Every structure is written in structure tokens, then in C-alpha cells.
Amino acid sequence: MIIIKNYKEYAEPGDEMRSDNIKKGLQRAPHRSLLRACGLTEEEMEQPFIGVANSFTDIVPGHIHLKKVSEAVKLGISEAGGVPFEFNTMAICDGIAMNHEGMRYSLASREIVADTVESMAQAHQLDALVMIPTCDKIVPGMLMAAARLDIPSIVVTGGPMLPGEYKGKAVDLIDVYEAVGAVSSGKISEKEVEELERCACPGAGSCAGLFTANTMACLTEALGMSLPYCATTHAVSGRKIQLARTSGKKILELLEKNITPSKIMNQKSFENAVKIDLALGGSTNTTLHLPAIAYELKDQGVMVDLNLFDNLTREIPHITAISPSGEHTMFDLDRAGGIPAVLKVIQDKIDDEVITCTGKSLKENIIDAMVLDPTVIRPLDDPVHKEGGLAILKGNLAPNGSVVKQGAVDADMMTHEGPAKVFDSEEDCVEAINQGEIQEGDVIIIRYEGPRGGPGMREMLNPTSTISGRGINSVALITDGRFSGGTRGPCIGHVSPEAAANGPLAVVRNGDMVKIDIPQRKLEFIVDEDEIAKRLKNAVKPERKIKGWLSRYMKMVSSADEGAVLK
């Protein structure tokens, strides 16, 4: 059992445990009275208070099992000599929020999650935190809070969903989205979609491919903020409960040694995380979330921007082909050795001396790691692609940058030139696709969907899935919105500055020729500078009638290339 008898050995001179502010001395008698109402014993009054931030909810598959995970965490905390206090945060399912007004709240909810964890930890002076997220915005939101608070913290990600099976093939949520598009083109029947719908998502966990939720779990492990193998251990696995219990014990050790997030998440750790992202071919949304987490550590000299991704993607090969970039699933990645095995493959390209939440270095964590299936985690001399899975494109259409998952783009679409088909909303675009208005060779432009213009930077999974489902192959899509981690093909998002901020995307017209060159990192439309300036001067923006807190969000949010943080 770990007892925090040595805390003061590690603390700064004059420091006490934070929880002493609510439980020590005569002036805290009222506070202790309230704590006693919660059932605390005399012995527990002397122990560290550990917050357990749980994002459990009944409506999100990635979170429906988290009560059981939190019980294991709390058991581990109690066994190690701490007092667990559980509280909840919100959790939005991007799949359920997709393609309607609800998606405006998804990215924005990241800030609420961060603020909730910060508020609970500060108001109750918790000594340390164990955070239990699973899905897209909850993982980075909790990491932002951990960085902001800088008290000992550890993350237990909820784990991937098992893949479904349909006609002998592994399937996931993206297959259902693409099947809807296939119906509209007559490729499959509505009955077949219903059959697929019933088996694609078999139970608890984040959707089975390397979409944003699972990508962020992998990066959390690579950052050193969760225990080895946590990211790929499936939601329904007994090993997940074991990891949760061990994490509960481990947080007391981190508190004893005063190992805080700023000591774990330094510049080198973030670079390791970017490298893992590129090696895996993860979601483009990481170019929003890693900069946002790093922003909370800017006073410690941490800086993550699109240039870092661009520089490192030329150094790190793409070595896994996990859905949507290939046929493998997160189950295959876990079976092949998980994130420790991927780190082992690129060990010479990372800084393995960084400290992690195990209290050990990354090097020590992966010393026994092995690649158990080289067809899933490929060697450096036989990668899926020679460059990393993401590419940053710039040009007169995206002066500050844009992002594409190049690892999921077919070779014949790595360069493309075609006429623009311009839409001022996702809904208008989807209607045009279903009406057969999009032709081979077109470049679809969806604008005014950025962080400010949307507001909320909606994901464009519905248009991309509809295009794929209809079998339209040589079409590109460019937006100042973003894409689901399940997107594949020449889909370029995060165009900055966004149209609502007077970015050039606002003045693209139907028929303008657009040139995409992923190998050369170029995104341009063939219009001269004088004409662009003239168009910008006369641009008319669509009006959005926004109510509620999103009206505040749109006034405060930064651009996508800065992580869409609130300033």
C-alpha cells in the first residue's frame, strides 16, 4: 500500500497538500462537517483527496461502460491510501451529432469538458486526478484541464469498440455511413443497410477504426499520460479493468513524487505524440487537439503548430493501415503489440528519455515491447507510405495552412486539378451530391463551416461518405470545417484563415480551377492576386442566427491553425 507519508519530501518549501485547504484547522470545521455528510471517516480526513473525472453517459457507446471503469479506479485509489471523489463531465457522440445542428456543439464541448474538470478540481482543492474519457473531444478536453491545473494526473481512456462483422468482413460505423450513399446510387438495398446497421457497432467503446477518439487515446499513451497498452485495450476487455485499478494506485505514487503533467507533457513528449500520430496515420483532428493541449503549457515553452506536423511528416513513415486507411482495426493493432510496439519500431526517431505517468521513462516502458504481427505494424524499411499519414498544405487558398490525411488518399488523387463547386453549408452540398450535381473531376468547396463561421467547425463525414458510397472516385473536397477521423480520400480541411475571417475560401466561385498537389504541399485556386483582393473587398458573408452559448463561442474562438482555442 502506498501512503503519502513522504509527500513533503517532494513538495516545495512551505507547500502542503491542496486538500488541506478544505480540511485542516479550526476555520475548516464547516468544510469538514460537509465532508462528514459524504461519509468520510477520521482516517480518510488525513488521506489525499483524489478526483475521478468520469465522462459516463447512457447515450454515447464509448462511455456506457465507464461506471465499471471508475469503480476499478476508485478501488485502486482506496487500496493505495487515497480517498476517491467521483464527478462527471459531459460527453457528445460525434456520430449521433453528425449532419445536423448538433454537430456545432461537438468541438465546442471540448472547452466545457476542460472547464468542468478545472472547476471541480479547484473548487474542492483536489490533490490529484484520474480522468476517464473515451470519445473525440473528451480526451483532449481532459488533457487540457490536466495541463492547466498541473496537479498529478493520469488518464484511463475507455478503449475501442470491437469491430462488427457483416458477410464475413469486419465493419464499423463508417461502413454504415458509406452504405447510405451506396443506396442512393442503387449499389445496395435499404434492407442491406438495415442489416449492416444492426451489426456494425456491437457494443461499448469508441468506434473500431483509427478515428479521432482512438487516435487521441493512442496519443495520450504516447504523451506518457496513460499506462502502456491502455489506448488499444478494448472497452470490454478484463485488462481494461486491471489497467483502471492500476491507474488508481499509480496516481498516489505520482502525488508522492510530485510528478505533474507539465513534467510529463514537455516539448519532446508532444513531438513523440505527433510522430506516433504520423506513423499510425491518425485523424486530422489531432492538428486541432494537440495544439490546444500545448497552448495550456505555453508558459513552459511548449509549442505545437501545423509547421511541426509538416516538418515531422517528412521524417516519419506511415507504418499501419488501420480503417479508414486500410482493412485493419484497433483490435488488430492491439493484437499486434499496441502503442508500445509502434514506439519500439520508431524508437530511434523519438526521445525515449522523457518521464511518463508510470514514474519511469518511455524507454523503460517499452523495453519489453514487441511487434507480434508485422503485417499490422510494419517495419521502417517496408512502410505503408514513406511519409507520415498527415500533410499540411498551403497556398493562396489556405495561406495559414490546411490538413489532409494523405495516408488515406489514393495515389492517382495525390495531385488533382478541377473546377470548383461551391457551397456555403454542408446541407447544401449533401443535397447537390444526392441530386447528381457532382461530376468526376470536381473540387467541392464547403465554406463558412469553420470554428467561427459554423460556428463549431462541423465534421463533413456525411458528404464524404455519400461521395464514397456513390462510387464517385476523382472528386476532392475542401472545407474550413473539419473531417471525421473516419474520412478517407482527398478531403482537405481546417482551411485557414476560414471564410468567416476573410480567408480566400470566401471568394472562390463556381468554375474557378483549383489545384491540389499533396506531394508539394500546395493548395491553390487559379485566380490572380488582384482579383482575389477585389473579391475579398466585396465579399458578402451569410448570416447565422445563433442562440445560446455558441454565440459567445464564435466571438472568442481562434482559427483552426491555432487549435480553435478560446482566447
Side-chain angles (χ1 to χ4, degrees):
M1 179 179 293
I2 301 169
I3 303 296
I4 311 304
K5 57 181 182 294
N6 296 325
Y7 177 80
K8 290 176 183 171
E9 177 184 335
Y10 297 95
E12 296 296 325
D15 278 358
E16 301 291 339
M17 284 197 293
R18 282 164 47 96
S19 60
D20 288 350
N21 291 324
I22 63 170
K23 64 185 182 183
K24 295 291 186 181
L26 175 63
Q27 298 301 319
R28 297 299 180 254
H31 305 64
R32 290 193 297 274
S33 183
L34 291 167
L35 290 167
R36 293 184 197 283
C38 296
L40 263 68
T41 66
E42 294 295 335
E43 180 185 11
E44 288 173 327
M45 287 288 189
E46 300 299 320
Q47 295 175 333
F49 286 3
I50 312 299
V52 179
N54 188 2
S55 53
F56 163 80
T57 174
D58 280 328
I59 198 170
V60 182
H63 299 246
I64 57 176
H65 64 302
L66 295 186
K67 279 186 178 179
K68 189 174 181 181
V69 174
S70 71
E71 289 302 318
V73 166
K74 290 190 289 184
L75 179 59
I77 291 169
S78 297
E79 288 175 332
V83 183
F85 291 97
E86 183 175 358
F87 61 91
N88 289 95
T89 69
M90 66 181 297
I92 287 177
C93 176
D94 278 21
I96 297 173
M98 195 73 67
N99 195 227
H100 56 82
E101 288 300 301
M103 179 48 73
R104 301 192 192 282
Y105 288 86
S106 175
L107 178 60
S109 74
R110 185 187 70 186
E111 315 309 310
I112 296 180
V113 171
D115 292 350
T116 299
V117 176
E118 176 195 359
S119 299
M120 290 295 289
Q122 291 289 68
H124 302 103
Q125 292 293 284
L126 300 172
D127 295 307
L129 286 171
V130 180
M131 296 172 288
I132 310 175
T134 301
C135 290
D136 301 44
K137 311 309 165 299
I138 301 90
V139 177
M142 288 193 178
L143 285 170
M144 289 165 66
R148 189 182 300 170
L149 290 161
D150 203 27
I151 60 175
S153 303
I154 194 168
V155 180
V156 184
T157 48
M161 182 187 293
L162 290 172
E165 184 176 327
Y166 182 63
K167 296 183 177 180
K169 178 186 174 185
V171 292
D172 54 45
L173 179 67
I174 305 306
D175 292 288
V176 186
Y177 271 101
E178 293 187 358
V180 172
V183 169
S184 63
S185 63
K187 290 188 172 184
I188 63 174
S189 68
E190 288 190 32
K191 185 177 186 302
E192 288 175 297
V193 175
E194 182 182 351
E195 292 172 355
L196 179 59
E197 165 196 330
R198 292 181 182 278
C199 65
C201 298
S206 47
C207 298
L210 189 64
F211 314 142
T212 306
N214 287 325
T215 301
M216 284 308 304
C218 293
L219 302 197
T220 301
E221 186 177 325
L223 273 170
M225 287 297 292
S226 61
L227 295 181
Y229 303 101
C230 186
T232 59
T233 297
H234 278 61
V236 295
S237 169
R239 187 171 64 165
K240 179 61 69 179
I241 302 304
Q242 294 165 6
L243 283 165
R245 190 169 172 179
T246 303
S247 297
K249 293 180 180 180
K250 184 62 68 174
I251 193 62
L252 275 297
E253 181 182 329
L254 296 178
L255 178 61
E256 183 177 20
K257 295 179 179 178
N258 196 26
I259 298 176
T260 64
S262 66
K263 295 174 182 177
I264 295 173
M265 293 192 289
N266 57 34
Q267 184 67 34
K268 294 297 184 182
S269 300
F270 275 98
E271 290 176 10
N272 288 346
V274 172
K275 290 173 182 178
I276 280 290
D277 188 13
L278 298 170
L280 292 171
S283 167
T284 53
N285 283 314
T286 59
T287 63
L288 290 170
H289 299 322
L290 286 180
I293 301 163
Y295 180 77
E296 302 292 344
L297 294 162
K298 61 183 184 300
D299 291 343
Q300 280 76 43
V302 177
M303 176 65 179
V304 176
D305 59 12
L306 294 184
N307 291 328
L308 180 62
F309 281 86
D310 190 42
N311 292 335
L312 294 180
T313 196
R314 302 170 194 272
E315 301 176 14
I316 304 297
H318 177 205
I319 59 173
T320 70
I322 303 167
S323 173
S325 300
E327 295 297 319
H328 294 136
T329 68
M330 291 299 293
F331 185 79
D332 297 314
L333 179 60
D334 187 55
R335 182 178 53 79
I339 298 307
V342 180
L343 287 164
K344 193 81 167 183
V345 172
I346 65 170
Q347 188 168 5
D348 290 344
K349 297 179 179 292
I350 62 175
D351 187 326
D352 60 6
E353 298 297 335
V354 293
I355 194 71
T356 72
C357 68
T358 64
K360 301 177 181 179
S361 69
L362 187 61
K363 182 178 182 179
E364 292 174 291
N365 287 353
I366 65 173
I367 192 167
D368 295 322
M370 294 176 59
V371 175
L372 302 177
D373 188 342
T375 67
V376 177
I377 304 173
R378 293 166 67 161
L380 290 178
D381 59 3
D382 184 28
V384 179
H385 299 104
K386 292 182 179 179
E387 291 188 345
L390 300 180
I392 308 302
L393 312 185
K394 293 185 178 182
N396 68 357
L397 197 50
N400 294 348
S402 61
V403 186
V404 63
K405 185 188 282 192
Q406 65 172 346
V409 179
D410 290 340
D412 59 356
M413 287 297 290
M414 292 293 280
T415 61
H416 180 75
E417 186 171 335
K421 291 282 183 71
V422 182
F423 304 93
D424 285 350
S425 74
E426 176 191 6
E427 288 84 356
D428 290 347
C429 176
V430 172
E431 183 178 353
I433 296 169
N434 285 327
Q435 293 298 321
E437 296 175 19
I438 303 302
Q439 307 300 319
E440 295 284 359
D442 285 346
V443 177
I444 298 170
I445 304 287
I446 305 178
R447 62 191 180 193
Y448 297 106
E449 291 285 7
R452 184 187 306 176
M457 203 177 181
R458 292 193 291 178
E459 288 185 345
M460 304 290 118
L461 179 58
N462 211 50
T464 59
S465 297
T466 304
I467 290 167
S468 295
R470 290 177 68 89
I472 306 172
N473 297 313
S474 59
V475 167
L477 196 158
I478 299 170
T479 181
D480 51 8
R482 58 196 177 91
F483 293 108
S484 162
T487 298
R488 55 191 174 93
C491 300
I492 301 163
H494 307 199
V495 171
S496 301
E498 62 177 290
N502 298 315
L505 199 69
V507 297
V508 182
R509 294 176 179 172
N510 284 322
D512 285 345
M513 295 302 292
V514 178
K515 185 176 181 180
I516 300 165
D517 191 331
I518 296 174
Q520 296 300 315
R521 307 297 196 260
K522 293 291 186 181
L523 181 62
E524 299 174 328
F525 65 134
I526 315 302
V527 177
D528 65 52
E529 292 183 13
D530 290 342
E531 174 64 15
I532 294 172
K534 180 180 176 182
R535 291 186 189 181
L536 282 170
K537 187 176 180 179
N538 298 308
V540 178
K541 301 173 187 175
E543 291 187 11
R544 299 262 201 248
K545 292 184 179 180
I546 303 298
K547 297 189 296 183
W549 82 275
L550 281 181
S551 63
R552 300 195 301 274
Y553 178 86
M554 68 190 299
K555 295 173 184 176
M556 300 169 64
V557 69
S558 73
S559 64
D561 63 295
E562 295 180 314
V565 297
L566 298 186
K567 292 187 177 180

